[in-house]
Amino acid sequence: MSIEAMLFDLDGTLLDTLADIANSLNLAFIEEGLQTHSVEAFRGFVGNGVFELVRAALPQANRDDENVARIVEKFRVNYAKGWAGETVIYPGIEELLAKLRERGVKTCVLSNKPDDFTREMVRHFFPEHPFTFVMGHHKGFPAKPDPASTLHMIEQMGISREKAAYVGDMHVDIQTALNAGILPVGVSWGFCTKDALRQAGAEIIVDRAIEILNLSD
């Protein structure tokens, strides 16, 4: 197998962002007089964009669109101040990206995190790595698992679907890859279990970042 383009999810794949997401939304909940959640509980909330994050974390009775939108704005203010507080790069990711660069494999970031945060965080944590594309969720494309943004990147790079892979930690990432007709690769260190990744349709699941390099052989 010789993959020429690797598309990566951000949260739970390249970066461990869970604590900062949890802290930022919990602070918004405190401001609203709502019950907060443990950091671990957020594993079940993330992956589908900020509006679905807030909706999933709210009590059923508080999930109306107006309430969600207001809390999303509070979350964004808090997260803008605290996204780098506890977030770290997962072990082995920097080595993997360097070796992919040496081999001439194109790399991209595609996240359901808002586009402005996605770009700022990639610049901050990976200042030396020349990603071909970095894209978060914005009005130009629907959120994952819709394949439009994935297909756009692949077409712009001039690479066939058979030579591309999407690497992620959540069922939505695997479904994105399947919808786009590219190789779905799951990582075991993120916010989802191996069983859930298998059930979602991951063809490959890796336990260490450097194992992804084998796909470019």
Side-chain angles (χ1 to χ4, degrees):
M1 184 181 299
S2 182
I3 296 297
E4 298 176 1
M6 299 269 191
L7 284 67
F8 291 92
D9 176 47
L10 185 63
D11 300 76
T13 302
L14 298 179
L15 298 176
D16 183 356
T17 57
L18 198 63
D20 286 329
I21 291 171
N23 293 340
S24 297
L25 187 51
N26 276 336
L27 181 56
F29 277 16
I30 290 170
E31 294 168 356
E32 291 282 317
L34 295 169
Q35 181 69 42
T36 59
H37 300 279
S38 69
V39 172
E40 281 301 305
F42 278 81
R43 293 183 186 276
F45 303 150
V46 298
N48 294 303
V50 64
F51 279 87
E52 292 308 312
L53 161 67
V54 171
R55 198 180 305 277
L58 280 169
Q60 187 71 41
N62 298 85
R63 293 179 181 176
D64 60 278
D65 291 346
E66 182 178 345
N67 199 46
V68 169
R70 185 180 67 258
I71 295 175
V72 164
E73 288 308 308
K74 290 189 175 185
F75 167 78
R76 286 178 63 90
V77 170
N78 296 337
Y79 197 59
K81 298 175 182 176
W83 56 259
E86 297 185 50
T87 291
V88 294
I89 303 171
Y90 281 110
I93 291 295
E94 291 174 293
E95 178 187 5
L96 169 66
L97 292 176
K99 290 187 178 298
L100 289 172
R101 184 168 66 246
E102 290 172 3
R103 294 189 179 190
V105 177
K106 295 181 184 298
T107 53
C108 306
V109 175
L110 175 59
S111 175
N112 270 348
K113 182 188 287 292
D115 188 64
D116 53 348
F117 286 131
T118 299
R119 293 177 182 276
E120 187 174 8
M121 293 178 74
V122 168
R123 285 194 297 268
H124 176 83
F125 286 103
F126 305 104
E128 304 299 324
H129 186 74
F131 287 103
T132 304
F133 285 102
V134 175
M135 186 185 296
H137 185 221
H138 60 82
K139 293 180 179 179
F141 291 94
K144 301 181 296 184
D146 189 288
S149 49
T150 302
L151 294 174
H152 171 74
M153 289 183 180
I154 294 170
E155 290 167 4
Q156 291 297 307
M157 288 185 287
I159 292 172
S160 68
R161 300 185 193 192
E162 294 76 18
K163 296 293 185 179
Y166 191 91
V167 182
D169 69 302
M170 299 285 288
H171 58 87
V172 69
D173 302 317
I174 303 306
Q175 191 60 55
T176 300
L178 293 171
N179 290 345
I182 66 176
L183 181 68
V185 180
V187 303
S188 66
W189 55 78
F191 304 156
C192 197
T193 66
K194 280 187 176 183
D195 284 344
L197 291 169
R198 290 191 190 98
Q199 291 172 12
E203 291 190 25
I204 297 169
I205 300 176
V206 297
D207 295 319
R208 298 186 305 130
I210 202 64
E211 295 174 37
I212 296 170
L213 192 65
N214 296 333
L215 301 178
S216 67
D217 290 338

